[in-house]
Amino acid sequence: MAQSTSTEKTSAGPNTVTLTDNSTGRSWELPILEGNEGPRVIDVRGLYNDTGFFTYDPGFGATASCDSAITFIDGEKGILRHGGYAIEDLAEHSSYMEVCYLLLQGELPTRAQRKEFESTITYHTMLHEQMLNFYRGFRRDSHPMSIMVAVVGALSAFYHDSTDISDPYQRMVASHRLIAKMPTIAAMAYKYSVGQPFVYPRNDLKYAENFLYMTFSVPCEDFKIRPALARAMDRIFILHADHEQNASTSTVRIAGSSGANPFACIAAGIASLWGPAHGGANEAVLQMLQEIGSKDRIPEFIQRAKDKDDPFRLMGFGHRVYKNYDPRAAVLRKSCHEVLDDLGKRDEPLLDLAMELERIALEDDYFAEKKLFPNVDFYSGIILQAMGFPTTMFTVLFALARTVGWVAQWKEMVEDPHHRISRPRQLYTGHPKRDFVPIDQRG
Ligand code: SDX
């Protein structure tokens, strides 16, 4: 974490801003901190002690909550990089296992490092057998995200030997366990929902192949993994791996700042991701496309999205940071065509409808003016549905892929010697002091 704070007596200069309270004429110099890329920040850590003021930023649209070396986003230019590597290059040339290593270690692995990391992850894919009982406590029609929150949170009840966050070895084991077990937990949530037997992971399969095998294979016949689908699955995992300080990652960081164990923190991240404004949007996009139904109804929905009195929003459009095309959406759009071609579903009506919706929206002044472009969720659902996943599994897959990002960001925070519990303040708008009123005098 950057060291200087405004409690140091800072004189005005090129690396300070001057804050003046015009009601009193008092001024203070606040330090400016600069990272390696992106906007400079005004260091307000000492603001309250020096000035008695809080800052005010509901939704944290202009707030840097931490410093991090993991992921860089430039919303205006539509840039996403992990450890300096562009997401387009990683999606094209790397693998999810390599990206996991990069997010955790800050460097792409050598061949030997990759082999060792993949082996470590492979040998953590099994779940404690007793955890399978949790699934049977759920209704078959439970949303699989409710199962994910519960089972991931319950990992801390079974893996006590990796919950001491002060122990680097336990932090590493917990990180590996979470990355390795998420596909197993997710696939079992799917199997439970369709009434099929759980399928155990296989050590001879790669990460994405193993997940497809555990999800779609049945004991009655051999399962053939289509290379194009395994590649597409791996690429989808890469594109969802990490994304700076988004809502669910911030949730994980805040939960972790109290010293909570990593399994509980990731369960909190899953809960936050579930919302339709965040990771739940991919499921909402499919529901929206199915509601639109045909191209001739697109103008009606575009109109609704622009109507301030209508809560309807164009799901899969807009982003807090990207005010340009989400680079992940561009890669997914290309993968959409590849997967549908491989499955012989080139003329998938939903893709056709989505592309027409995108074309019309991007030509509309409202979306141009508000810089609303397709985001990562706009095309992902179409691919996932074509691959055979029900819409209720879409956010589960997002959570599976994002686990490495949550874990890497949690680890970065815990290993920062200056980290402290996150405890924001508020602008109080409630009643001033008043005397207690006994119930028989309350009218
Ligand atoms: C993800 O943060 C991350 O990095 C998240 C993520 C990740 O990888 O972790 O990228 C994943 O969550 C992607 C976003 C998925 N969500 C959706 O697709 C849901 C639809 N999008 C919106 O709900 C919205 O765009 C958000 C939530 C994504 C962003 O909301 P903001 O930044 O708070 O912006 P806002 O709601 O203040 O909107 C600004 C304006 C508003 O109009 P005005 O009040 O200024 O007149 O744009 C309008 C909004 O009404 N607007 C939309 C819109 N999104 C914003 N209008 C119609 N349709 C939309 N989708």
Side-chain angles (χ1 to χ4, degrees):
M1 181 180 283
Q3 291 311 308
S4 67
T5 71
S6 59
T7 48
E8 292 163 5
K9 293 301 158 234
T10 313
S11 55
N15 294 323
T16 66
V17 290
T18 303
L19 176 68
T20 300
D21 177 357
N22 292 320
S23 65
T24 62
R26 287 195 65 194
S27 287
W28 299 269
E29 297 304 320
L30 299 179
I32 294 172
L33 304 180
E34 195 158 2
N36 296 338
E37 277 199 277
R40 297 185 297 166
V41 300
I42 299 171
D43 184 349
V44 295
R45 284 176 288 177
L47 184 74
Y48 178 61
N49 288 339
D50 285 358
T51 71
F53 285 106
F54 291 149
T55 58
Y56 182 69
D57 185 17
F60 307 124
T63 293
S65 61
C66 62
D67 39 280
S68 177
I70 297 171
T71 292
F72 174 70
I73 301 173
D74 182 320
E76 301 307 320
K77 296 178 186 152
I79 290 173
L80 167 58
R81 299 194 203 113
H82 297 309
Y85 298 100
I87 191 66
E88 295 88 345
D89 291 343
L90 294 170
E92 185 65 29
H93 306 298
S94 190
S95 70
Y96 183 67
M97 283 290 98
E98 285 202 345
V99 170
C100 286
Y101 187 95
L102 171 63
L103 293 172
L104 289 170
Q105 306 295 341
E107 296 296 339
L108 284 169
T110 61
R111 198 177 294 278
Q113 288 167 335
R114 186 178 70 181
K115 188 169 185 295
E116 183 190 1
F117 182 73
E118 286 180 341
S119 169
T120 300
I121 295 300
T122 296
Y123 285 91
H124 276 298
T125 48
M126 280 187 73
L127 216 47
H128 188 295
E129 190 66 10
Q130 214 177 309
M131 293 199 77
L132 276 50
N133 298 330
F134 282 114
Y135 290 83
R136 295 185 179 89
F138 283 91
R139 289 171 39 142
R140 289 279 179 180
D141 62 353
S142 303
H143 194 292
M145 282 296 277
S146 58
I147 296 176
M148 295 299 290
V149 172
V151 175
V152 171
L155 288 170
S156 51
F158 287 82
Y159 297 101
H160 299 289
D161 61 343
S162 59
T163 52
D164 175 359
I165 65 167
S166 65
D167 177 351
Y169 176 75
Q170 291 194 37
R171 291 201 298 269
M172 182 186 66
V173 171
S175 304
H176 292 158
R177 278 173 165 159
L178 280 158
I179 293 165
K181 296 181 192 309
M182 284 301 269
T184 311
I185 294 168
M188 287 181 172
Y190 169 72
K191 284 303 198 190
Y192 185 72
S193 73
V194 294
Q196 290 181 357
F198 294 141
V199 175
Y200 288 85
R202 275 175 39 186
N203 294 345
D204 62 323
L205 295 179
K206 293 238 177 256
Y207 193 87
E209 292 173 341
N210 215 354
F211 173 64
L212 293 174
Y213 167 72
M214 290 188 282
T215 303
F216 294 122
S217 76
V218 288
C220 332
E221 59 188 27
D222 288 343
F223 180 72
K224 291 178 186 55
I225 296 169
R226 300 172 72 106
L229 297 195
R231 179 74 193 127
M233 190 80 266
D234 194 78
R235 183 175 294 154
I236 288 170
F237 290 161
I238 291 173
L239 294 170
H240 288 79
D242 189 52
H243 210 241
E244 203 215 60
Q245 305 311 318
N246 58 83
S248 53
T249 298
S250 299
T251 301
V252 170
R253 278 182 173 260
I254 288 182
S257 73
S258 73
N261 75 69
F263 305 110
C265 294
I266 300 308
I270 295 171
S272 172
L273 185 76
W274 196 355
H278 189 13
N282 51 18
E283 181 177 349
V285 167
L286 253 290
Q287 286 156 0
M288 174 188 71
L289 291 172
Q290 285 157 350
E291 188 185 352
I292 294 174
S294 60
K295 290 182 185 178
D296 61 331
R297 293 197 64 202
I298 290 177
E300 171 197 338
F301 282 83
I302 294 280
Q303 200 45 47
R304 284 188 57 194
K306 293 153 65 171
D307 180 355
K308 285 288 152 249
D309 298 325
D310 189 329
F312 174 78
R313 286 197 163 182
L314 217 47
M315 301 314 281
F317 267 76
H319 197 277
R320 171 62 60 79
V321 177
Y322 288 125
K323 301 310 172 191
N324 200 322
Y325 210 100
D326 182 333
R328 300 167 297 176
V331 177
L332 282 167
R333 191 171 190 263
K334 181 167 164 275
S335 288
C336 236
H337 289 289
E338 290 165 5
V339 167
L340 293 175
D341 283 353
D342 180 79
L343 292 169
K345 297 181 176 178
R346 176 192 299 265
D347 55 357
E348 164 61 48
L350 277 181
L351 176 59
D352 208 23
L353 184 61
M355 290 178 69
E356 179 64 3
L357 174 59
E358 175 189 355
R359 184 188 66 77
I360 295 173
L362 294 185
E363 287 174 358
D364 187 291
D365 291 344
Y366 174 89
F367 291 88
E369 171 200 311
K370 293 189 183 295
K371 299 186 176 181
L372 301 175
F373 290 85
N375 58 48
V376 67
D377 293 304
F378 188 63
Y379 283 103
S380 56
I382 297 167
I383 302 178
L384 296 174
Q385 185 180 60
M387 292 172 75
F389 293 100
T391 50
T392 51
M393 280 294 289
F394 292 2
T395 310
V396 170
L397 299 183
F398 196 148
L400 188 169
R402 184 54 57 87
T403 293
V404 64
W406 289 331
V407 161
Q409 298 267 355
W410 165 81
K411 185 171 165 287
E412 183 179 62
M413 176 206 58
V414 170
E415 291 172 357
D416 176 348
H418 302 285
H419 88 268
R420 47 207 295 250
I421 192 165
S422 296
R423 204 274 185 225
R425 301 302 303 274
Q426 64 179 15
L427 178 66
Y428 178 66
T429 57
H431 286 284
K433 184 178 181 320
R434 49 183 175 165
D435 296 332
F436 181 76
V437 179
I439 190 154
D440 54 16
Q441 296 173 31
R442 291 179 202 159

